[in-house]
Amino acid sequence: MVGSSHEALHRIFQKDPELLTRALQEVLQVPFPRPYDFAAMNVDLTEIEPVERRVDTLLRAETDEGAYLLVVESQGERDDRKRGSWPYYLSYLYEKYRCEPVLIVVTQSRATARWASQPIHLGVRETPSLTVRPFVLGPDNVPLIATEQEARQDVPLAVLSAMTHGRGRKAPAILESLAAALKDVDRDNAAVFVQFVDSCLTDPQAQQMWRDLMTAMQYFWRHPLAQEVREQGREEGKEVGRVEMLAETILNILRWRGIEVPDTVRTRVESCTDLDLLTTWSERAVHATTAHDLFGDERP
C-alpha cells in the first residue's frame, strides 16, 4: 500500500520509468536521450562514516549516449537542508558510478516548486565552484489532463496529472477522465495507479470523489482501506455492506458531476438490493448526462 503523497510522487517513476524521461523531454524540454533500458538502484547514499543519506528514487537509464542516474526527490514543502543534500547526492553518485546524475524534484506545491527550481550555488558568490540546477515537476508545468481522449493517450502521465492537480474546480474532470482511461489498463497495474492517486489527493472532497469512482469500477475494493468496509459487510450478512456502499457511490458520483437527482431516482437506487444491477448503474453514473440515464431501458 502506498501510504503517503510523498511516497506516491516518486514511486510512480519506479512503476513506469519511461514516464520520467518523457517528463524531462516533453514537460521540461530537456534534450535527454531516449533510454533503451532502466535499472532500479540502491537509494542508500550513506558512507562508512555516516550521516545517513537516502534519495527517494534512483534509476539508471541506459542510452546510446551513455548511462545516466536519475535522482527523483519528492518534496512537500521548502526544506533548506536540501540546499546541501542535493549537491552532495549528485557529487557522491558521480564519484561512485562515474555516470552523469540528473536531479528531478516532484511536488504538488507551486511555492515549493518555485523554491526547488532555484539554482544552488556553492563557493564564491559571483563565481561559484559548484552550481546545481534541479529540474522540477509541479503544478505549473505538468500537463493538466482533463479529457478522456488525452488520458487514454498516456495513462501514466494522466496519473501524474491527477496526483499533481487533483484539487480545486478542475478535479472532477481530471479524475473522471483518468477513471475512464484506467479501463484500458490491466487490473493489476490499474490498482497500483489507483493507490498512487488516492495517496496524493489532499482535498477530502476530491479524495472521496476518487474513491466513489473507483468503487463504481471495483478497483477500490482491492485497496487496503476498503478492508473495513468488506469486514462490515460480512458482519451484517452477505453483501449488505457492499450494496449500501454502491448505492451511496452512485448518488455521490451524480452529485459530484452536478447532475440533479430526483427523489424517484434516489428512492430506486437506495431501495435496490441487486449487487449486479447496482454495479451496472455505478458504471453508467460516470458517463450519465441525466439521473435517468442510470437505468437505460430497464423498467422501474
Side-chain angles (χ1 to χ4, degrees):
M1 175 182 174
V2 181
S4 69
S5 60
H6 176 94
E7 289 296 304
L9 280 172
H10 69 88
R11 282 178 56 184
I12 186 175
F13 299 115
Q14 298 175 16
K15 175 67 177 173
D16 190 337
E18 289 186 359
L19 174 62
L20 183 57
T21 54
R22 291 204 310 276
L24 283 170
Q25 295 163 346
E26 300 169 15
V27 178
L28 299 175
Q29 302 299 307
V30 176
F32 192 85
R34 183 174 182 178
Y36 58 80
D37 191 26
F38 290 95
M41 302 185 69
N42 190 339
V43 299
D44 191 345
L45 308 186
T46 305
E47 299 184 68
I48 295 175
E49 297 291 336
V51 177
E52 181 176 327
R53 298 178 188 269
R54 293 176 183 270
V55 297
D56 288 331
T57 286
L58 180 61
L59 301 169
R60 182 184 176 109
E62 301 289 347
T63 79
D64 291 336
E65 298 179 12
Y68 287 84
L69 299 177
L70 303 178
V71 184
V72 185
E73 285 282 276
S74 174
Q75 196 68 33
E77 58 187 19
R78 176 172 178 151
D79 181 356
D80 288 329
R81 292 175 299 176
K82 296 294 186 180
R83 310 296 289 183
S85 295
W86 287 340
Y88 168 84
Y89 294 166
L90 301 186
S91 299
Y92 175 88
L93 288 167
Y94 180 77
E95 176 63 22
K96 182 173 182 178
Y97 296 105
R98 292 295 169 175
C99 296
E100 299 294 342
V102 181
L103 174 63
I104 303 100
V105 179
V106 191
T107 182
Q108 296 174 291
S109 164
R110 285 184 168 84
T112 302
R114 289 192 296 270
W115 164 78
S117 64
Q118 296 302 308
I120 302 169
H121 301 294
L122 300 180
V124 179
R125 180 171 299 179
E126 299 301 326
T127 54
S129 298
L130 176 65
T131 297
V132 173
R133 291 183 170 87
F135 296 118
V136 180
L137 294 170
D140 288 332
N141 56 14
V142 172
L144 195 158
I145 297 178
T147 69
E148 182 176 335
Q149 181 179 4
E150 291 176 310
R152 289 183 185 277
Q153 288 174 351
D154 193 335
V155 173
L157 186 60
V159 173
L160 182 61
S161 177
M163 293 162 64
T164 308
H165 297 285
R167 64 177 69 184
R169 61 186 182 85
K170 286 288 187 179
I174 294 169
L175 298 179
E176 287 172 22
S177 300
L178 176 57
L182 285 175
K183 293 180 180 179
D184 297 335
V185 179
D186 71 85
R187 294 190 68 82
D188 288 338
N189 284 324
V192 174
F193 288 145
V194 167
Q195 289 193 40
F196 284 151
V197 174
D198 188 82
S199 296
C200 285
L201 292 175
T202 56
D203 181 337
Q205 191 174 41
Q207 187 181 66
Q208 186 58 54
M209 177 188 178
W210 179 244
R211 292 180 180 182
D212 287 339
L213 289 168
M214 293 302 98
T215 299
M217 297 172 64
Q218 301 188 54
Y219 286 124
F220 190 68
W221 288 94
R222 304 184 62 182
H223 195 294
L225 293 175
Q227 182 65 31
E228 182 179 346
V229 176
R230 288 197 292 269
E231 293 298 331
Q232 180 183 358
R234 293 190 187 102
E235 291 173 4
E236 294 177 357
K238 296 183 179 180
E239 299 289 345
V240 173
R242 190 170 182 183
V243 163
E244 292 178 352
M245 186 175 181
L246 267 179
E248 182 180 358
T249 293
I250 293 167
L251 299 174
N252 279 343
I253 291 173
L254 295 177
R255 178 165 59 86
W256 295 126
R257 301 186 64 229
I259 295 175
E260 183 178 354
V261 181
D263 290 340
T264 53
V265 172
R266 180 179 299 278
T267 299
R268 184 172 175 184
V269 170
E270 291 178 339
S271 62
C272 180
T273 58
D274 186 326
L275 185 60
D276 291 336
L277 187 56
L278 285 169
T279 300
T280 299
W281 291 352
S282 67
E283 292 170 353
R284 290 175 182 170
V286 177
H287 302 286
T289 55
T290 72
H292 290 285
D293 289 343
L294 292 179
F295 309 127
D297 296 328
E298 300 157 7
R299 294 183 178 181

